[in-house]
Amino acid sequence: MPDLFFTTESNAADGWAPVPWPEGLVSFEVYESLDATTVLTYSRWTTDGSAFLTGLTGAVPTGYHLHREDTDGRAPGCVVAVEAEFDGPDPDRVRRWIDTVFEVMAGEKPHPGGISGRFHVSLDGTRMLNLAGWTGAEAHEEAIADRNPAWQRVYDFPGVESGGFRRYAPIRPRADIEPSPTGWVAAHVAGYVESGGRKGHTFQGRPALLLTTTGRKSGRPRRTALFYGTDGPRHLLVASNGGSPTHPAWYLNLTADPDVTVQVGPDVFTARARTATPEEKRALWPTMTEMFPLYATYETKSPRDLPLVILDRTVPGWGS
């Protein structure tokens, strides 16, 4: 059974101990849901790997066979796990449903953000799973909103009882993100991440978020914790650096690359950062000084104008 694989879900992405590569395992991929609470493992086997996976993750896997796949060769930034459940065991019917999906896709102009699809039939013949690769969650949302009426053939297919999807991102080693060189900030960030946002969202009585930027010199992700305010759906930051004459490193990073990752409590999402205009700053500054009065003091003593940063979401978090 060279195309047999299993999926499992777990609530812990970190802390898996290294184990020997078992006989029969061909490949192993790990994805993390956009709210950072669920892990999807995707592994391909020439043998039955369920016992190994249960011992590794603590979850009972579900077995599938790959039926059809297609890719343009790009690496996905987001993987959407699409599931459909049927009213009884009938593998041929599930395969016909998958073939119908391909027929509909062949009759429409593909969204430029679509990268790949891997369609599978469960071993008991009752379920379909597609792991669809996209450039990002935003591209997937656009494609859903712009679907043509021909997709009704898929939705009305006989025997389909339920369906749904969940978005994931490839897990990258935590060490890839540089910790803050300031000890107490690094400790705050570590507690925030390890608790999934349950700890650290409130710091010294004020709301705090995690901001991950791309180092303008190193090109590596850099993460720090910052107090924040809100203006409707937007999150607000002040590049105060304690009122020092120089901008903080995180601000210099986002001016070079405004695409950032943000965690607010358990909610993880990507955003586009920009410096507020003078008019916007005048309107929003009281929000920030009310939340943290020292900003007014820093502004007075600093030789520079403290930038107010606006974060606009580009990809909603899973739970948002």
Side-chain angles (χ1 to χ4, degrees):
M1 295 183 291
D3 60 353
L4 177 66
F5 80 92
F6 290 90
T7 62
T8 65
E9 287 192 330
S10 169
N11 287 326
D14 300 320
W16 290 358
V19 294
W21 193 265
E23 183 179 356
L25 179 59
V26 176
S27 63
F28 193 84
E29 303 168 20
V30 186
Y31 300 94
E32 185 177 42
S33 61
L34 296 189
D35 63 355
T37 61
T38 301
V39 170
L40 172 70
T41 67
Y42 175 93
S43 55
R44 300 188 69 170
W45 298 76
T46 58
T47 57
D48 186 339
S50 56
F52 170 82
L53 290 172
T54 298
L56 177 67
T57 67
V60 178
T62 302
Y64 294 82
H65 280 293
L66 179 65
H67 176 54
R68 293 184 68 165
E69 65 179 327
D70 191 20
T71 180
D72 65 11
R74 290 179 290 170
C78 175
V79 171
V80 182
V82 184
E83 294 186 276
E85 187 167 356
F86 294 76
D87 59 10
D90 188 342
D92 288 337
R93 177 174 56 180
V94 180
R95 285 189 281 268
R96 289 195 303 271
W97 183 90
I98 294 172
D99 294 341
T100 301
V101 171
F102 273 78
E103 291 170 7
V104 172
M105 290 192 298
E108 66 178 6
K109 182 180 179 180
H111 188 283
I115 292 174
S116 60
R118 289 181 280 184
F119 291 78
H120 310 80
V121 181
S122 65
L123 299 188
D124 63 5
T126 64
R127 305 179 71 179
M128 184 287 312
L129 173 68
N130 173 30
L131 296 183
W134 292 84
T135 54
E138 187 175 32
H140 178 240
E141 289 185 344
E142 291 173 355
I144 291 176
D146 196 35
R147 278 190 172 169
N148 66 50
W151 280 95
Q152 203 61 42
R153 289 179 55 198
V154 175
Y155 305 141
D156 294 340
F157 194 89
V160 178
E161 284 197 328
S162 62
F165 65 85
R166 192 167 195 178
R167 299 187 183 103
Y168 294 83
I171 287 182
R172 295 172 176 82
R174 300 297 185 185
D176 280 356
I177 300 180
E178 292 282 339
S180 171
T182 304
W184 68 268
V185 176
H188 181 201
V189 170
Y192 206 126
V193 173
E194 291 168 4
S195 69
R198 292 186 298 275
K199 299 178 181 178
H201 181 223
T202 299
F203 186 73
Q204 296 180 348
R206 297 176 177 88
L209 57 71
L210 300 185
L211 177 74
T212 302
T213 60
T214 300
R216 63 196 181 283
K217 296 179 181 178
S218 68
R220 297 186 63 183
R222 309 276 179 166
R223 183 162 51 195
T224 191
L226 300 164
F227 292 137
Y228 73 91
T230 58
D231 177 50
R234 306 187 300 180
H235 292 79
L236 311 175
L237 308 172
V238 174
S240 68
N241 206 16
S244 73
T246 58
H247 292 308
W250 63 263
Y251 178 72
L252 296 175
N253 289 343
L254 66 79
T255 57
D257 184 347
D259 293 318
V260 299
T261 300
V262 183
Q263 181 170 354
V264 180
D267 192 17
V268 181
F269 55 93
T270 59
R272 178 63 62 91
R274 65 179 179 86
T275 302
T277 65
E279 293 77 14
E280 289 175 318
K281 181 179 176 180
R282 280 194 293 271
L284 298 172
W285 189 247
T287 297
M288 302 308 293
T289 55
E290 181 180 353
M291 182 272 298
F292 188 59
L294 277 177
Y295 284 147
T297 303
Y298 296 158
E299 177 90 309
T300 300
K301 77 174 188 178
S302 178
R304 61 189 173 91
D305 181 56
L306 303 187
L308 189 150
V309 175
I310 298 173
L311 302 178
D312 291 301
R313 288 179 183 243
T314 53
V315 177
W318 178 260
S320 63

